[in-house]
Amino acid sequence: HFGYILKGQGVVEGQAGQITQQQVVLSLELEAEIKPRVSKKYNAFAMSTVESIPVKIGQQVKKGALLILLSSQDLENKKQTAEKGYIAAKDQLNSIQTEYNSTRLLYLKNLEAQSKVLVAKKKYEQYQNETFPNAKQAYEDVLDQLQELSVKTTISGFVTDIYKFKGDMVSQNEALVEVAQLSDLYARFYISNMQHKLWWAVKIMK
């Protein structure tokens, strides 16, 4: 037999402990829900479409396994824009660097004024340290976001729920799939008001 310490009406969660036969004074039929202590629900990173679901409910998966593959036309458009901006910024940086090196070389040959070299240097350093890194970061950020469309499990366990089907449109933060570790479970009992009163009545009579 297993006994639970009841602290109040409602949901009771606790560790089961062995009790002797003499302590059993009442048998109650209770509804219980078996739940895993470790579970992870995965949500959509952005507005997207479900392309494929390579797992099934009940399937055991290892950490890093692909659960759902999504696609997003919005992110693809952002990638194209960011990629064009990054390539253009790289070309512009090379052009400005060439101009600066050329001006500096002419100055060393006494064919150009020092002021022009300083202007070219400032322009090059500003582009190198600000404009170009910003364009590069914007492109890398979109690539990172695209990686989020491949939803992979961060824990090993079993697929317990799949909330979407192939072809479904999903909103940002919408639930997709859930993985749980079934090696560590606990029971959540639901105690009605009448059962709660009956339990305490028997305790008082003792």
Side-chain angles (χ1 to χ4, degrees), residues 87-106:
I87 294 174
K90 186 188 295 187
D91 292 340
Q92 183 66 11
L93 178 63
N94 292 334
S95 176
I96 293 174
Q97 183 179 21
T98 300
E99 179 184 353
Y100 167 55
N101 291 336
S102 177
T103 305
R104 184 176 59 177
L105 183 61
L106 291 174

Side-chain angles (χ1 to χ4, degrees), residues 7-69:
K7 296 183 179 179
Q9 180 183 351
V11 176
V12 178
E13 298 183 33
Q15 289 283 349
Q18 291 287 342
I19 58 177
T20 65
Q21 186 175 358
Q22 288 76 16
Q23 290 175 293
V24 179
V25 294
L26 181 65
S27 176
L28 296 178
E29 184 175 342
L30 305 176
E31 291 186 2
E33 183 181 6
I34 306 300
K35 297 180 69 67
R37 294 191 184 278
V38 179
S39 64
K40 174 71 175 179
K41 184 180 291 184
Y42 298 89
N43 301 326
F45 171 75
M47 178 75 72
S48 50
T49 303
V50 178
E51 291 294 328
S52 65
I53 308 174
V55 295
K56 298 179 181 179
I57 292 180
Q59 180 176 333
Q60 186 174 12
V61 291
K62 293 183 178 180
K63 182 178 179 180
L66 179 65
L67 300 175
I68 286 185
L69 180 63

Side-chain angles (χ1 to χ4, degrees), residues 63-122:
K63 182 178 179 180
L66 179 65
L67 300 175
I68 286 185
L69 180 63
L70 305 173
S71 65
S72 171
Q73 189 58 51
D74 183 49
L75 284 180
E76 286 295 336
N77 293 339
K78 287 183 178 179
K79 176 194 173 185
Q80 293 180 10
T81 301
E83 187 174 19
K84 290 179 181 178
Y86 172 52
I87 294 174
K90 186 188 295 187
D91 292 340
Q92 183 66 11
L93 178 63
N94 292 334
S95 176
I96 293 174
Q97 183 179 21
T98 300
E99 179 184 353
Y100 167 55
N101 291 336
S102 177
T103 305
R104 184 176 59 177
L105 183 61
L106 291 174
Y107 168 72
L108 293 176
K109 295 181 178 181
N110 296 319
L111 299 175
E112 192 63 87
Q114 184 180 21
S115 60
K116 286 191 175 184
V117 177
L118 295 177
V119 170
K121 179 182 179 182
K122 182 179 180 180

Side-chain angles (χ1 to χ4, degrees), residues 14 39 106 127 159 161 165 199:
S39 64
L106 291 174
Y127 203 92
V159 178
D161 280 296
F165 298 95
W199 179 278

